[in-house]
Amino acid sequence: MAGPERAAFSLAGKACVVTGASRGLGRAIALAFADRGADVVLGARSRVDLEALAREIEAKGRRAVVQPTDVTDLGQVGALADAAVSRLGRLDVWVNNAGGFTSEPGSATEWLDVTERGWEAMVRLNLTAQVFGAQAAARVMRDRGTGGAIIFISSIDSLYAAPGGEGIYGACKAALNNIVQTMAVELGQHRIRVNAIAPAVVETPLTAPWLATEEDRRKRSAFYPLRRVGQPDDVASAAVYFASGEAEWVSGAVLLVSGGAVMTSDPYRYLMRVNQAEG
């Protein structure tokens, strides 16, 4: 006699780690995982924000572990993986979400003004932290023999030119895409799947300056065939798919979540600004 049918996209019984969980995409992913039955280890720098999120997850009947984490400190990244095992007894899904821009001078400038310290700060936040976070998760999954899923948050900037101050960010995300494919090949023998989500502009605290007014939002929306900017839940839904059994034969993929956009407007807007200034 067949057992009860499993709900589609269920994460019941899974223990998931989400970095950068206190706001934006990470927060939406953590809540979406809890909605699908997962328990979640929450990593970010702000304990207050993590504790508020944990209360929301617990109100859904799921467990939440608050683990304040600065992902540029690799010891703290490793502690996230340890917390999943010690507090939840397992580690099934790891989401490398934390990243973005830094305040270091020369980190978000045109290439002629990039500094060595700016470069190093961006690489540590957007590449080193992700690589060694994935490694820590994969080692736990391998040693416990459970398999699992590792999800990177890439960007549409990884696929096209990102001039005007986003060059290092785009370069880091492009590197992640290749790392995802290589990890997928190497980790498949351990039943570990590795995939990435590459969003276009999603409305989060990171992108708030670009969407400050209704006119800003209208102009940005016009870049996308589906005529709106992304919302955190758009990316969270993709993360649920990659984490779930529905994606059990999907590894090494980079999923563009971009409202239908297959290019960015950044190079054209940059050239228009530069050329008009010289005209």
Side-chain angles (χ1 to χ4, degrees):
M1 182 176 178
E5 189 172 316
R6 178 176 60 84
F9 304 105
S10 173
L11 301 180
K14 293 187 182 295
C16 306
V17 172
V18 181
T19 70
S22 62
R23 59 182 187 165
L25 299 184
R27 185 178 190 280
I29 291 168
L31 289 170
F33 282 0
D35 283 337
R36 292 293 177 173
D39 298 321
V40 191
V41 178
L42 307 170
R45 288 175 296 179
S46 171
R47 176 180 288 276
V48 172
D49 290 341
L50 291 181
E51 289 176 344
L53 176 58
R55 288 192 291 271
E56 290 188 55
I57 290 172
E58 289 164 351
K60 298 175 183 290
R62 307 314 312 164
R63 291 181 291 172
V65 176
V66 170
Q67 184 76 20
T69 304
D70 178 352
V71 296
T72 64
D73 181 332
L74 298 185
Q76 294 185 38
V77 172
L80 269 176
D82 294 339
V85 176
S86 64
R87 299 287 299 278
L88 301 179
R90 56 190 297 137
L91 173 53
D92 301 289
V93 179
W94 179 282
V95 181
N96 269 324
N97 169 70
F101 295 90
T102 79
S103 60
E104 183 66 42
S107 65
T109 64
E110 296 188 18
W111 284 108
L112 289 175
D113 299 315
V114 167
T115 64
E116 183 177 356
R117 290 184 64 176
W119 167 266
E120 291 173 348
M122 285 293 286
V123 169
R124 190 160 188 86
L125 175 62
N126 291 290
L127 191 56
T128 305
Q130 283 71 19
V131 167
F132 287 96
Q135 183 191 72
R139 285 176 171 173
V140 171
M141 295 170 183
R142 176 201 62 189
D143 293 347
R144 296 179 67 83
T146 57
I150 296 171
I151 303 168
F152 288 77
I153 302 300
S154 181
S155 168
I156 194 172
D157 284 341
S158 70
L159 303 172
Y160 310 102
E166 297 180 32
I168 305 177
Y169 177 82
C172 290
K173 297 298 189 179
L176 288 183
N177 294 351
N178 185 271
I179 289 166
V180 162
Q181 293 177 336
T182 303
M183 282 189 175
V185 173
E186 294 182 356
L187 299 179
Q189 63 189 304
H190 305 297
R191 296 188 298 113
I192 300 170
R193 298 181 293 105
V194 188
N195 294 291
I197 302 167
V201 172
V202 177
E203 195 163 0
T204 69
L206 179 68
T207 62
W210 308 341
L211 303 169
T213 68
E214 285 303 315
E215 180 64 12
D216 291 337
R217 183 176 282 99
R218 186 191 66 78
K219 288 180 177 178
R220 280 280 176 178
S221 297
F223 298 157
Y224 303 109
L226 294 181
R227 298 185 178 185
R228 68 170 174 86
V229 297
Q231 295 300 315
D233 284 346
D234 296 319
V235 176
S237 295
V240 167
Y241 167 66
F242 279 139
S244 72
E246 276 65 25
E248 67 179 358
W249 208 56
V250 179
S251 193
V254 178
L255 177 62
L256 192 59
V257 178
S258 63
V262 293
M263 57 187 174
T264 73
S265 63
D266 293 354
Y268 308 103
R269 289 187 292 114
Y270 175 80
L271 289 172
M272 289 176 65
R273 175 168 60 83
V274 170
N275 292 340
Q276 288 172 357
E278 293 181 353

